[in-house]
Amino acid sequence: GQSLEQPSEVTAVEGAIVQINCTYQTSGFYGLSWYQQHDGGAPTFLSYNALDGLEETGRFSSFLSRSDSYGYLLLQELQMKDSASYFCAVLTSGGSYIPTFGRGTSLIVHP
Amino acid sequence: EAQVTQNPRYLITVTGKKLTVTCSQNMNHEYMSWYRQDPGLGLRQIYYSMNVEVTDKGDVPEGYKVSRKEKRNFPLILESPSPNQTSLYFCASQDPSTDTQYFGPGTRLTVL
């Protein structure tokens, strides 16, 4: 089976940088995605890593190390609106190619 | 506008009364899936479909059925709902070129 571990909650202050880690155990690893979900809303796609290294999209970056089965989401210049839940999700080959999600990390940004 | 729609958005029902939650996407995606979300458990996959007439179980399929007669529609059927199926349900379709999931707005179901 597959398993993903991420912290349940992270807090930070406005303007700071925060890193949300995700470790996974799976066979046939294909890629790691990150999604954001505000309270009561639908998850929305943030980033995707299939290869080792850093992918940058504006204030958000995502990193993957396939050899360590580890990735993280980096949020810079935090804003109050970044308070949300963040999910990592693994895609695996040889199966459905539909992601399996972690339990999510609640990010609380304080003024 | 590219979107995934779900109906109803909110539903309160009673144990044993069959219900269907509809899901439709206008992006011509082949892959579609259903998730349920419960506090502390994240998004758990119920069923997925890789094309018309091709469906398969996800991680928590018990008590649910699906059908995929057309590419755009992927309804979720609860033949005999029970209180443990009270949850927030999301339908999603997947862009194969980017492996991005596009989620519907969610259906909050309460089974009494």
Side-chain angles (χ1 to χ4, degrees):
Chain A
Q2 300 157 8
S3 70
L4 296 98
E5 294 289 332
Q6 51 181 130
S8 59
E9 186 176 295
V10 173
T11 60
V13 295
E14 218 173 355
I17 299 172
V18 73
Q19 179 174 312
I20 300 174
N21 298 320
C22 175
T23 57
Y24 58 88
Q25 287 187 319
T26 186
S27 55
F29 176 83
Y30 187 82
L32 185 72
S33 300
W34 289 91
Y35 288 77
Q36 179 192 59
Q37 184 184 32
H38 286 99
D39 254 357
T44 56
F45 173 80
L46 288 177
S47 69
Y48 173 66
N49 296 69
L51 302 174
D52 285 357
L54 194 68
E55 293 280 343
E56 297 181 65
T57 310
R59 294 188 298 115
F60 294 0
S61 304
S62 58
F63 172 82
L64 175 65
S65 169
R66 295 171 68 109
S67 60
D68 295 322
S69 298
Y70 162 76
Y72 65 72
L73 180 69
L74 190 74
L75 297 86
Q76 303 182 74
E77 301 171 19
L78 279 175
Q79 302 175 9
M80 297 295 290
K81 68 178 181 179
D82 297 328
S83 291
S85 291
Y86 293 85
F87 295 88
C88 60
V90 290
L91 289 92
T92 56
S93 59
S96 70
Y97 291 93
I98 292 178
T100 297
F101 285 79
R103 297 191 174 197
T105 298
S106 177
L107 171 63
I108 301 169
V109 179
H110 296 289
Chain B
E1 179 193 352
Q3 61 181 350
V4 179
T5 57
Q6 291 179 231
N7 282 291
R9 295 289 314 280
Y10 303 90
L11 179 60
I12 300 174
T13 189
V14 295
T15 299
K17 186 175 180 183
K18 181 180 178 180
L19 67 92
T20 299
V21 184
T22 64
C23 172
S24 184
Q25 52 97 2
N26 63 1
M27 294 168 278
N28 203 36
H29 291 162
E30 291 181 344
Y31 288 16
M32 297 184 73
S33 51
W34 275 101
Y35 296 86
R36 63 177 288 173
Q37 185 173 32
D38 303 289
L41 297 179
L43 290 151
R44 294 182 293 167
Q45 192 182 94
I46 304 171
Y47 267 94
Y48 64 90
S49 169
M50 297 172 76
N51 212 330
V52 174
E53 303 292 0
V54 180
T55 64
D56 210 343
K57 296 177 181 178
D59 299 319
V60 288
E62 294 76 21
Y64 304 95
K65 284 175 55 177
V66 292
S67 70
R68 188 91 182 273
K69 294 184 174 14
E70 309 163 279
K71 187 183 268 193
R72 64 183 290 124
N73 296 323
F74 190 42
L76 179 70
I77 303 153
L78 286 73
E79 295 266 2
S80 183
S82 62
N84 65 11
Q85 292 178 297
T86 292
S87 188
L88 178 59
Y89 291 87
F90 288 102
C91 177
S93 73
Q94 184 161 323
D95 181 344
S97 64
T98 62
D99 289 323
T100 301
Q101 291 262 293
Y102 293 88
F103 285 85
T107 295
R108 190 166 291 280
L109 173 66
T110 301
V111 183
L112 302 174

